[in-house]
Amino acid sequence: MASSSSSSSSSSSSSFLMVSLLAVVLIGVASASNMYNDFDITWGDGRGKVLNNGELLTLSLDKTSGSGFKSKNEYLFGKIDMQLKLVAGNSAGTVTAYYLSSQGATWDEIDFEFLGNLSGDPYTVHTNVFSQGKGNREQQFHLWFDPTADFHTYSILWNLHGIIFSVDNIPIREFKNSESIGVLFPKNQPMRIYSSLWNADDWATRGGLIKTDWTNAPFTASYENFNADACVISSGTSSCGSTSNNEKYWLSQELDSTSQEKVTWVQKNYMIYNYCTDTKRFPQGLPKECTI
Ligand SMILES: *[C@@H]1O[C@H](CO)[C@@H](O)[C@H](O)[C@H]1NC(C)=O
């Protein structure tokens, strides 16, 4: 502060510079995702790690244990993006679950689950939606890329119109709010983000056909660039309640016709299971939301 004794104009311009610099630093900190700020490792006895000053989070699984984390915040609607790089090589039997969930016996849940496979065979992306404890709305997909070679963005857009699952900004599934025909929709219970890497070789590999090969352990899944444009609930108050919601495009976003075409493309080429067409499973008739 050598300038403080010289003219007042140079003093005010240097303090202006200081304030500007401070603003740049604060904005930089606020926009870069930091895993330390957003998540807590919840289990796994050291198998879950935050690395690179918070830029990266990894979960691992070995014969003794898997691991998991959860978000510090609870959300009620928003667009939530995470980049994941899944377990590479022979990952058969491993499941990386990444989901939103509320608590209690009548919980709501929005799921991505990534089912590993033998080297070279495709991962299965499993999706589901629970309303008040009731799920049974599975759709499963293969991917159009190798999800273990690089990070890819997996997104959940959740608002009163519906839930859209996307991969690299390509929507793969839309679960519409069908309350008008009596289908429960998750809209009242704040949810946290959870993720875990665990052994599910009793069911994940087509009913336990292939067992996890522990000679490949530890298995590792990685996470980075988390972003939540979302309503955060704290002490019962929503961060969306106080300010104007006009810029919050994600509160009203639905699929436009271009996005609808993308969903159709994914479902035609990469969908491997759809509860809405499983007439054997629902002999009394398909769930109501499937009929519209
Ligand atoms: C594994 O690969 C096989 C063969 O391509 C495929 O049928 C199956 O859906 C894949 N996923 C799982 C979890 O088995």
Side-chain angles (χ1 to χ4, degrees), residues 11 16 22 46 54 63-64 70 76 115 119 171 203 236 253 267 289:
S11 152
F16 173 75
L22 188 64
K63 206 164 180 173
T64 311
K70 73 172 185 199
L76 187 63
L115 282 51
S119 299
W203 69 272
Q253 202 179 357
Q267 301 211 339
E289 69 274 18

Side-chain angles (χ1 to χ4, degrees), residues 254-268:
E254 295 177 79
L255 289 184
D256 59 17
S257 58
T258 320
S259 311
Q260 189 56 60
E261 280 167 26
K262 288 180 184 166
V263 175
T264 306
W265 172 78
V266 172
Q267 301 211 339
K268 180 162 169 272

Side-chain angles (χ1 to χ4, degrees), residues 91-95 114-118 120-125 140-142 203-207 209-210 272:
S91 59
T94 72
V95 170
F114 304 94
L115 282 51
N117 217 331
L118 297 171
D121 280 344
Y123 257 79
T124 294
V125 179
Q140 295 184 335
F141 306 84
H142 285 157
W203 69 272
T205 47
R206 286 159 280 161
L209 207 60
I210 302 162
I272 56 168

Side-chain angles (χ1 to χ4, degrees), residues 240-292:
C240 293
S242 49
T243 54
S244 157
N245 288 330
N246 294 339
E247 324 87 273
K248 299 191 175 70
Y249 69 94
W250 35 270
L251 273 178
S252 56
Q253 202 179 357
E254 295 177 79
L255 289 184
D256 59 17
S257 58
T258 320
S259 311
Q260 189 56 60
E261 280 167 26
K262 288 180 184 166
V263 175
T264 306
W265 172 78
V266 172
Q267 301 211 339
K268 180 162 169 272
N269 294 289
Y270 297 98
M271 185 186 262
I272 56 168
Y273 178 77
N274 184 1
Y275 78 112
C276 273
T277 56
D278 195 344
T279 47
K280 269 199 214 119
R281 182 177 171 191
F282 301 105
Q284 277 90 291
L286 293 169
K288 270 190 248 171
E289 69 274 18
C290 299
T291 58
I292 48 166

